[in-house]
Amino acid sequence: EAQVTQNPRYLITVTGKKLTVTCSQNMNHEYMSWYRQDPGLGLRQIYYSMNVEVTDKGDVPEGYKVSRKEKRNFPLILESPSPNQTSLYFCASSLGPAGEETQYFGPGTRLLVL
Amino acid sequence: SQKIEQNSEALNIQEGKTATLTCNYTNYSPAYLQWYRQDPGRGPVFLLLIRENEKEKRKERLKVTFDTTLKQSLFHITASQPADSATYLCAHTTGGYQKVTFGIGTKLQVIP
């Protein structure tokens, strides 16, 4: 089954404790993105990747890092989480650029930073 | 800067009627505009994409129009059903087709 998976689905952590949210897709897509969703603000793009080792900033990259060492994986790293990073996070992948092609979204990761 | 706005936060409609949702943008016309459905606690699901040079796109009971003069896209669900109740998001590219901006969504409730 074609899908995007994220882990963990739920995470409670404390300020400053580094964490990684994993994302994996099995569709051989070149393009992947991370979004965060907050009430009243909608989905906002954090980072995107066009291929292995090629990443770029979205609209809200501050406080986040990403890496793309393999085509199927696109982890999101919060090196020093803060309470304002409490949010619902989605990973997405697409065959072509995100704006031109169908984006397939993962199930989401709900993060609470205390 | 380019903004994308959806007309209301909630829309209630009677089953069987046509639901019409609006997406407005400022400034320049996006090359592509997408519509997604999102159910509570789940990731968005892609529905339709319309290109700048297309006036209309259809898929089963769904129809999207794109009016570059009004800077607006309309999303229609005909013969609406309670199962259509969800939040509908529009999205467009902003300078480079990898960057995507979403509206905050319109929550549709179809009443039996």
Side-chain angles (χ1 to χ4, degrees):
Chain A
E1 180 192 352
Q3 60 182 354
V4 177
T5 56
Q6 295 178 228
N7 282 293
R9 295 289 315 280
Y10 304 92
L11 180 59
I12 301 174
T13 190
V14 295
T15 299
K17 187 176 181 181
K18 180 179 178 179
L19 67 92
T20 299
V21 183
T22 65
C23 172
S24 183
Q25 50 94 4
N26 64 359
M27 294 169 278
N28 202 35
H29 286 168
E30 291 193 353
Y31 294 80
M32 298 184 76
S33 290
W34 274 103
Y35 296 87
R36 61 178 289 176
Q37 188 171 35
D38 303 287
L41 295 175
L43 273 163
R44 293 178 293 167
Q45 196 174 31
I46 303 171
Y47 268 97
Y48 56 89
S49 170
M50 295 81 85
N51 211 329
V52 174
E53 304 290 6
V54 184
T55 63
D56 206 348
K57 296 176 181 178
D59 290 326
V60 288
E62 296 77 21
Y64 303 95
K65 281 178 58 177
V66 292
S67 70
R68 187 97 180 269
K69 293 188 175 8
E70 303 168 285
K71 197 173 188 178
R72 62 183 293 128
N73 296 323
F74 190 40
L76 179 70
I77 303 155
L78 285 72
E79 298 228 320
S80 184
S82 62
N84 65 11
Q85 293 178 297
T86 292
S87 188
L88 180 57
Y89 291 87
F90 290 103
C91 179
S93 74
S94 54
L95 192 60
E100 295 180 33
E101 296 280 347
T102 302
Q103 283 194 94
Y104 295 86
F105 281 80
T109 294
R110 196 169 288 279
L111 173 64
L112 173 62
V113 183
L114 300 173
Chain B
S1 62
Q2 180 79 311
K3 288 185 181 178
I4 189 164
E5 295 171 347
Q6 297 191 243
N7 65 328
S8 63
E9 289 192 2
L11 178 66
N12 294 326
I13 194 163
Q14 207 70 35
E15 182 178 3
K17 301 290 186 185
T18 296
T20 298
L21 286 65
T22 305
C23 181
N24 295 302
Y25 55 90
T26 59
N27 301 334
Y28 57 87
S29 287
Y32 301 89
L33 201 143
Q34 304 172 330
W35 284 87
Y36 289 81
R37 169 188 173 134
Q38 186 175 24
D39 292 286
R42 308 192 73 158
V45 174
F46 174 84
L47 296 174
L48 283 167
L49 178 147
I50 188 163
R51 294 173 175 78
E52 184 180 17
N53 60 356
E54 296 175 321
K55 290 266 193 290
E56 184 178 295
K57 207 79 169 281
R58 290 176 185 261
K59 179 182 173 183
E60 298 172 351
R61 294 184 297 112
L62 309 179
K63 183 176 85 170
V64 173
T65 61
F66 199 172
D67 189 325
T68 55
T69 302
L70 294 178
K71 296 185 178 179
Q72 183 179 82
S73 174
L74 297 179
F75 177 79
H76 307 272
I77 306 176
T78 57
S80 58
Q81 305 166 359
D84 295 325
S85 298
T87 295
Y88 291 86
L89 311 172
C90 69
H92 73 127
T93 55
T94 51
Y97 300 141
Q98 294 83 246
K99 293 187 87 168
V100 181
T101 298
F102 280 82
I104 63 169
T106 298
K107 186 175 181 179
L108 173 67
Q109 184 80 28
V110 181
I111 303 162

